[in-house]
Amino acid sequence: EVQLVESGGGLVQPGGSLRLSCAASGFTFSSYNMNWVRQAPGRGLEWVSFINTRSSTIFYADSVRGRFTISRNNAKNSLYLQMNSLRVEDTAFYFCARDQTIRGLKDYWGQGTLVTVSS
Amino acid sequence: EIVMTQSPATLSVSPGERATLSCRTSQTVSTNLAWYQQKPGQAPRLLIYGASTRATGIPARFSGSGSGTEFTLTISSLQSEDFAVYYCQQYNNFPPWAFGQGTKVDIK
């Protein structure tokens, strides 16, 4: 069974940093491109970042470029999101999501971890 | 960047009735469009991909249609477990991978 489990969320002050993790199991993690997608409370889904299998191709949404860094460790079946210079508007549930296809069909999602940016 | 527009924002339907949800894209996405269901406190679940192919385990009452810029998700006979928010997502032109703003299906 495919499982994606996020961790690392919490309360942080504006300007602070957090590192999110996503532990994958039930599939060959190293064979799949991965993403972070976020959802502000009561709002819709916003794609945040993409990383391919070898970490050679990385994309970011304009809203986080220069502040967030995506990475992965295939040996540990883990995906990461380093979030710096956090803003109030970054408050959201952060989901990791697996890409089923090279075009980015997101077929499995974790349950999410909540990041709250507030003073 | 492709803009996704879903309508209506909220759809009130009685159990057993048919629900029709719309998704429009600002540029053609061919059939590279997916639909997701999200219930409160849960992750999105893939329902439909390729505009019309049901994902594994999705009941036949869910169907998708369309191509280009106009897409429809139909739930033929709403069950209690179908009341949720539905999102469309394009995966033809990226990045970014764009989502619609969602349609909430609630009980009439």
Side-chain angles (χ1 to χ4, degrees):
Chain A
E1 178 193 5
V2 172
Q3 284 200 328
L4 297 168
V5 180
E6 301 91 340
S7 62
L11 175 64
V12 61
Q13 292 187 335
S17 298
L18 273 179
R19 189 192 194 212
L20 306 184
S21 298
C22 171
S25 60
F27 65 103
T28 305
F29 179 73
S30 60
S31 297
Y32 289 84
N33 300 333
M34 298 293 295
N35 300 266
W36 288 98
V37 179
R38 69 184 180 183
Q39 184 174 39
R43 305 296 295 273
L45 300 166
E46 179 190 15
W47 168 79
V48 172
S49 186
F50 162 95
I51 187 168
N52 73 343
T53 57
R54 295 177 298 160
S55 304
S56 57
T57 298
I58 287 174
F59 298 123
Y60 297 100
D62 289 346
S63 57
V64 307
R65 186 176 296 113
R67 300 186 298 121
F68 290 11
T69 302
I70 191 172
S71 62
R72 65 189 295 164
N73 184 327
N74 288 339
K76 294 185 176 181
N77 293 331
S78 292
L79 176 71
Y80 306 102
L81 187 68
Q82 177 66 42
M83 303 186 296
N84 298 332
S85 302
L86 282 161
R87 304 168 180 168
V88 171
E89 56 266 34
D90 294 320
T91 295
F93 287 92
Y94 284 74
F95 300 96
C96 61
R98 187 183 85 165
D99 276 350
Q100 184 191 75
T101 66
I102 195 142
R103 284 192 169 275
L105 170 65
K106 290 138 191 35
D107 63 347
Y108 283 96
W109 300 58
Q111 289 299 306
T113 187
L114 178 61
V115 173
T116 303
V117 185
S118 174
S119 54
Chain B
E1 179 173 335
I2 292 180
V3 176
M4 315 283 290
T5 304
Q6 289 187 241
S7 61
T10 304
L11 186 62
S12 297
V13 185
S14 299
E17 288 188 342
R18 182 186 196 91
T20 302
L21 290 66
S22 175
C23 176
R24 178 177 296 178
T25 62
S26 60
Q27 303 171 35
T28 181
V29 298
S30 184
T31 55
N32 294 310
L33 185 115
W35 290 93
Y36 299 88
Q37 177 194 66
Q38 188 181 30
K39 297 179 181 179
Q42 296 186 17
R45 178 174 72 144
L46 178 65
L47 295 177
I48 300 285
Y49 63 93
S52 60
T53 302
R54 281 188 302 277
T56 303
I58 302 304
R61 65 181 180 272
F62 291 92
S63 63
S65 63
S67 66
T69 62
E70 301 276 347
F71 301 88
T72 300
L73 174 69
T74 301
I75 311 171
S76 59
S77 176
L78 269 156
Q79 307 297 303
S80 57
E81 61 267 29
D82 300 335
F83 293 98
V85 180
Y86 293 83
Y87 295 95
C88 58
Q89 180 231 325
Q90 69 84 21
Y91 51 100
N92 191 68
N93 293 18
F94 51 86
W97 285 268
F99 294 87
Q101 77 277 25
T103 291
K104 182 179 181 180
V105 177
D106 66 14
I107 300 174
K108 188 174 182 180

